[in-house]
Amino acid sequence: MLDTFDNNPQSRWEFLADTVMGGVSNGKVSYSQENGSAYARLTGTVSTQNRGGFIQFRSEIEEKLPDNTKGIRLVTRGNNQMYFVHLRTSGTLLPWQYYQGSFDATQSWTEVRIPFSAFKASGRMLRSEPRPTQVNSIAVVAFGRDHQALVDVQEIGFY
């Protein structure tokens, strides 16, 4: 397990938007509890104006993952839209490089598994699939189209 969003999650996760590169998307990550379980909530407006199009919350991975790690596991809900997990590795040197895996955030809490083989590289200069031992950050992302984002994550980790 990577995180269950209890015990001071704001010290481990940071919010980022496309405004760092001139975009106009806006939003926030907040942390709440429901029925004794903590979760993170990403909300905001994603806009593709000015070559933008994302909001996200991201965490660094401190320890190397075992080589036999198969993928990402999360427990999530949302507004019945598609969201993404972005991974950065020791091979994603440029700020716009990442590996992207998608998931649907339904209105009910659902466990989602995204195998590393389902992640797509953001460019041809990257390996086709991320290596688990090289993953150094993970992000939950609203991306790529104009929309209102609302996605909750109760657990996020690896399997």
Side-chain angles (χ1 to χ4, degrees):
M1 175 62 57
L2 174 63
D3 212 327
T4 56
F5 300 100
D6 51 2
N7 193 21
N8 200 24
Q10 60 273 19
S11 69
R12 298 181 302 278
W13 294 87
E14 67 176 325
F15 174 83
L16 293 165
D18 58 20
T19 55
V20 299
M21 53 183 244
V24 297
S25 299
N26 64 73
K28 66 179 182 174
V29 63
S30 58
Y31 306 97
S32 298
Q33 291 229 353
E34 183 178 286
N35 299 324
S37 295
Y39 64 93
R41 171 171 281 177
L42 178 66
T43 57
T45 302
V46 179
S47 172
T48 56
Q49 288 183 332
N50 293 351
R51 299 173 46 112
F54 75 87
I55 60 173
Q56 66 176 274
F57 65 103
R58 180 176 70 185
S59 181
E60 301 296 320
I61 307 296
E62 300 296 328
E63 297 179 23
K64 278 191 166 189
L65 299 176
D67 193 39
N68 64 349
T69 306
K70 303 282 187 246
I72 306 300
R73 177 193 168 274
L74 30 87
V75 176
T76 185
R77 70 178 177 190
N79 57 353
N80 292 320
Q81 293 190 40
M82 182 186 303
Y83 293 93
F84 302 91
V85 171
H86 284 186
L87 301 175
R88 291 187 50 84
T89 68
S90 56
T92 55
L93 303 176
L94 302 172
W96 53 85
Q97 293 179 318
Y98 53 86
Y99 291 91
Q100 176 177 276
S102 65
F103 66 94
D104 292 320
T106 63
Q107 291 182 357
S108 300
W109 289 113
T110 305
E111 179 185 76
V112 175
R113 289 179 180 249
I114 311 169
F116 287 132
S117 61
F119 278 79
K120 307 262 187 283
S122 64
R124 287 182 277 171
M125 297 189 62
L126 298 175
R127 295 175 44 84
S128 61
E129 185 177 321
R131 287 186 181 149
T133 58
Q134 293 182 342
V135 173
N136 56 29
S137 76
I138 185 169
V140 175
V141 186
F143 174 79
R145 67 190 191 291
D146 296 331
H147 68 287
Q148 288 298 124
L150 170 60
V151 60
D152 296 340
V153 179
Q154 192 175 64
E155 298 176 9
I156 189 164
F158 300 91
Y159 69 94

